[in-house]
C-alpha cells in the first residue's frame, strides 16, 4: 500500500474548492460543474486566439459529444483523438475533422477502419517511422484522395516521435506510400515534471516543430500544420510558427493542473461524488470510490500526496481496492457514514473512462446528464 507523507496539506491543495453537490446523488458518480466547464473552454479558446493558433482539443479527457460541441462552438477547429474508436464515435456524431495524434500500426482490422473513416471525414494521422508510414499507406491504398499525415518528432518527452534527422526520410516514405505529409507535430509531455519544467518544455516543442518544418520544406514538402501542446504548455502564449495547439485536460482540469499552476484552485470542473461507507477502522474513512470508480494516478510532481483530494473533509485518498477507497483525514474529523463528499482526481482523464455519464450541475442543482460517448473505446 502507498504511504502518504503525514502532515498538513500544502498550499495549492488547501485552496482547492469543490462546487456545491446536489442532494440525492447515487454515488460514486461523475459530477461536472457546467459554469466551470464553460469558463475553462472559453479561457483556453481565448488563449489560443491571442496566440493566433488553431485550437484542436484532445477529446480523450471528456470523450463526450456534448462537451466537444461546446468546444467547437467556442471556436475549436476539429478534435484530437487517441484511438480509432474515439474517432469513430465523434465521426458518427458529425465531427468531420479529426487528428489521430499517435503513431498507429495500421494492419488488418485497423487498416479497414482507417480507410472507412478516411472516406467519410477529414482524418489526419501521426507517423514517426518509415515502417509506420508504409503500413498506413497500405491501409489507405485505393482511397479516393490521399490520407494526410503529420510527422511526429520527440521534443524531450521520450515517448513517441522521431529524431529531427529522420523527419525527411519518414515524409519521403509517406509520399512513396501514397500519403500526403501536411505537417509536423510534437507533444512536450516533460512539462509535467513540475512548474519549472513548463516553459522549457514549451520552448522545446516550438523549436522541434520549427526545425522539422524547415527541413521538410527544404526537401520539397508543403508544410501547413505545426502542431504542439499540452494543457500546461498551451496555457501560456504559443509563438509562431506554431499553427495549432492540442490541449485536452484543460476542459475539466484536475489536482495535477492546480499543482502545476495551469489553472486556479476553483477551476476543477470534474468531481467524483463519493459516500463514506465505513469508519469502523480507526484513523481512516472508507468511501465507495475504489479502483473500479477512480484511477491510481499519483501526482508526478508531488508523489507523496496520494491519489486524490477530498477538500471538504479535508482528506486525501491514500489507496484504492476494487470497491473501497481509503481516506486519510487531514483535519480533526474523518466524517460519518452516509456523508457524500466531492473527490478531485489527480489526473482526470483515466477517471472519466470509468463512467458512462456525467451529472451536470449548476450552482449545486442537477441540470442534465450527459453521455461519455467514447468511454471504453481504447482501440
Ligand atoms: C499527443 C498528445 N496531444 C495532446 C495531449 C493533451 O495534453 P494534456 O493532457 O496535457 O491536455 C496529449 C495528452 O496526453 C497527447 O498525448
Amino acid at each position: 500500500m502507498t504511504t502518504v507523507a503525514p502532515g498538513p496539506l500544502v498550499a495549492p491543495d488547501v485552496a482547492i474548492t469543490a462546487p456545491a453537490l446536489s442532494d440525492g446523488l447515487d454515488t460514486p458518480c461523475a459530477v461536472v460543474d457546467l459554469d466551470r466547464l464553460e469558463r475553462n473552454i472559453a479561457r483556453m479558446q481565448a488563449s489560443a486566439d491571442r496566440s493566433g493558433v488553431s485550437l484542436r482539443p484532445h477529446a480523450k479527457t471528456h470523450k463526450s459529444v456534448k462537451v466537444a460541441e461546446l468546444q467547437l462552438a467556442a471556436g475549436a477547429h476539429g478534435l484530437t483523438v487517441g484511438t480509432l474508436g474515439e474517432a469513430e464515435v465523434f465521426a458518427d456524431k458529425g465531427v468531420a475533422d479529426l487528428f489521430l495524434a499517435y503513431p498507429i500500426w495500421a494492419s488488418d482490422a485497423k487498416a479497414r477502419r482507417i480507410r472507412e473513416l478516411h472516406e467519410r471525414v477529414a482524418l489526419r494521422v501521426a507517423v514517426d517511422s518509415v515502417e509506420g508510414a508504409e503500413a498506413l499507406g497500405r491501409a489507405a491504398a485505393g482511397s479516393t484522395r490521399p490520407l494526410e499525415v503529420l510527422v511526429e518528432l520527440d521534443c524531450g518527452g521520450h515517448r513517441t516521435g522521431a529524431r529531427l534527422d529522420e523527419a525527411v526520410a519518414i515524409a519521403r516514405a509517406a509520399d512513396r506510400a501514397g500519403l500526403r505529409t501536411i505537417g509536423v507535430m510534437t507533444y512536450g509531455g516533460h512539462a509535467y515534471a513540475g512548474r519549472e519544467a513548463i516553459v522549457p518544455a514549451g520552448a522545446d516543442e516550438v523549436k522541434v516543430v520549427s526545425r522539422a518544418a524547415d527541413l521538410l520544406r527544404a526537401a520539397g514538402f508543403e508544410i501547413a500544420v505545426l502542431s504542439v501542446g499540452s494543457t500546461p504548455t498551451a496555457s501560456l502564449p504559443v509563438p509562431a510558427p506554431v499553427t495549432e495547439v492540442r490541449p485536452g485536460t484543460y476542459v475539466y482540469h484536475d489536482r495535477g493542473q492546480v499543482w502545476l499552476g495551469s489553472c486556479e484552485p476553483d477551476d476543477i470542473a470534474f468531481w467524483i461524488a463519493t459516500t463514506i461507507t465505513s469508519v469502523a477502522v480507526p484513523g481512516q474513512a472508507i468511501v465507495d470510490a475504489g479502483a473500479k470508480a477512480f484511477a491510481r494516478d499519483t501526482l508526478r510532481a508531488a508523489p507523496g500526496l496520494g491519489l486524490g483530494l477530498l477538500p471538504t473533509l479535508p482528506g486525501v485518498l491514500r489507496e484504492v481496492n476494487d470497491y473501497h477507497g481509503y481516506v486519510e483525514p487531514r483535519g480533526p474529523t474523518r466524517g460519518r457514514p452516509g456523508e457524500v463528499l466531492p473527490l478531485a482526481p489527480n489526473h482526470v482523464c483515466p477517471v472519466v473512462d470509468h463512467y458512462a455519464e456525467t451529472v451536470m450541475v449548476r450552482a449545486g442543482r442537477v441540470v442534465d446528464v450527459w453521455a461519455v460517448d467514447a468511454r471504453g473505446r481504447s482501440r
Side-chain angles (χ1 to χ4, degrees):
M1 196 173 284
T2 323
T3 326
V4 177
L9 297 171
V10 280
D13 272 354
V14 169
I16 287 179
T17 54
L21 297 182
S22 76
D23 292 336
L25 293 170
D26 193 0
T27 70
C29 65
V31 177
V32 170
D33 185 275
L34 255 173
D35 291 325
R36 294 183 181 197
L37 171 67
E38 288 168 356
R39 195 170 71 208
N40 294 342
I41 289 173
R43 193 180 294 150
M44 186 58 85
Q45 187 62 53
S47 167
D49 291 348
R50 273 195 305 276
S51 294
V53 295
S54 295
L55 175 60
R56 184 183 283 275
H58 204 314
K60 54 134 192 176
T61 303
H62 54 74
K63 293 186 167 221
S64 154
V65 172
K66 282 200 186 268
V67 176
E69 284 169 356
L70 290 182
Q71 293 173 314
L72 294 166
H77 288 261
L79 295 180
T80 303
V81 291
T83 64
L84 278 174
E86 291 175 6
E88 288 161 347
V89 167
F90 287 107
D92 287 347
K93 299 286 180 163
V95 181
D97 185 353
L98 297 164
F99 176 31
L100 179 52
Y102 300 89
I104 183 168
W105 190 251
S107 64
D108 305 321
K110 282 201 175 48
R112 279 194 301 282
R113 291 166 67 199
I114 287 170
R115 192 164 48 245
E116 195 268 334
L117 204 52
H118 170 51
E119 290 296 348
R120 62 190 176 109
V121 296
L123 177 71
R124 297 168 176 178
V125 184
V127 283
D128 74 349
S129 70
V130 166
E131 298 81 359
E134 289 168 352
L136 204 53
R138 285 193 294 277
S143 307
T144 49
R145 61 200 152 82
L147 176 64
E148 295 180 338
V149 295
L150 277 72
V151 177
E152 181 180 1
L153 289 313
D154 180 13
C155 68
H158 305 319
R159 181 182 65 182
T160 48
R163 293 190 317 267
L164 266 178
D165 62 3
E166 297 170 317
V168 170
I170 294 167
R172 287 197 176 126
D175 198 41
R176 281 194 304 277
L179 307 169
R180 177 177 296 149
T181 301
I182 59 152
V184 289
M185 68 151 287
T186 194
Y187 175 65
H190 49 311
Y192 279 92
R195 284 183 186 217
E196 61 299 332
I198 298 171
V199 168
D204 289 342
E205 290 184 324
V206 178
K207 191 167 70 186
V208 159
V209 292
S210 312
R211 288 194 181 160
D214 288 346
L215 289 169
L216 289 171
R217 284 178 183 139
F221 292 94
E222 271 179 44
I223 299 301
V225 183
L226 285 78
S227 178
V228 304
S230 60
T231 291
T233 61
S235 300
L236 301 173
V238 180
V242 170
T243 65
E244 173 181 285
V245 290
R246 307 180 312 271
T249 306
Y250 77 94
V251 77
Y252 288 152
H253 281 306
D254 53 27
R255 191 183 181 205
Q257 299 297 342
V258 175
W259 197 259
L260 285 165
S262 301
C263 68
E264 297 300 322
D266 63 354
D267 285 337
I268 300 178
F270 181 101
W271 292 78
I272 297 305
T274 185
T275 302
I276 297 179
T277 52
S278 170
V279 289
V281 175
Q284 68 183 30
I286 294 294
V287 290
D288 59 6
K292 294 190 189 294
F294 209 66
R296 275 210 160 82
D297 273 271
T298 50
L299 283 175
R300 236 203 277 177
L305 288 178
L307 308 178
L309 180 76
L310 303 104
T312 56
L313 195 58
V316 161
L317 189 72
R318 172 164 54 89
E319 176 58 302
V320 283
N321 299 156
D322 279 359
Y323 299 104
H324 302 86
Y326 294 71
V327 176
E328 185 173 279
R330 291 297 178 95
T333 176
R334 52 195 179 115
R336 49 180 173 69
E339 204 173 330
V340 177
L341 300 170
L343 166 62
N346 286 348
H347 178 203
V348 65
C349 308
V351 178
V352 171
D353 216 44
H354 286 278
Y355 294 88
E357 55 194 27
T358 48
V359 178
M360 310 303 291
V361 301
R362 245 190 237 284
R365 290 195 45 227
V366 175
V367 291
D368 213 345
V369 176
W370 289 4
V372 183
D373 306 85
R375 173 200 189 200
R377 297 301 298 265
S378 49
R379 64 163 193 262

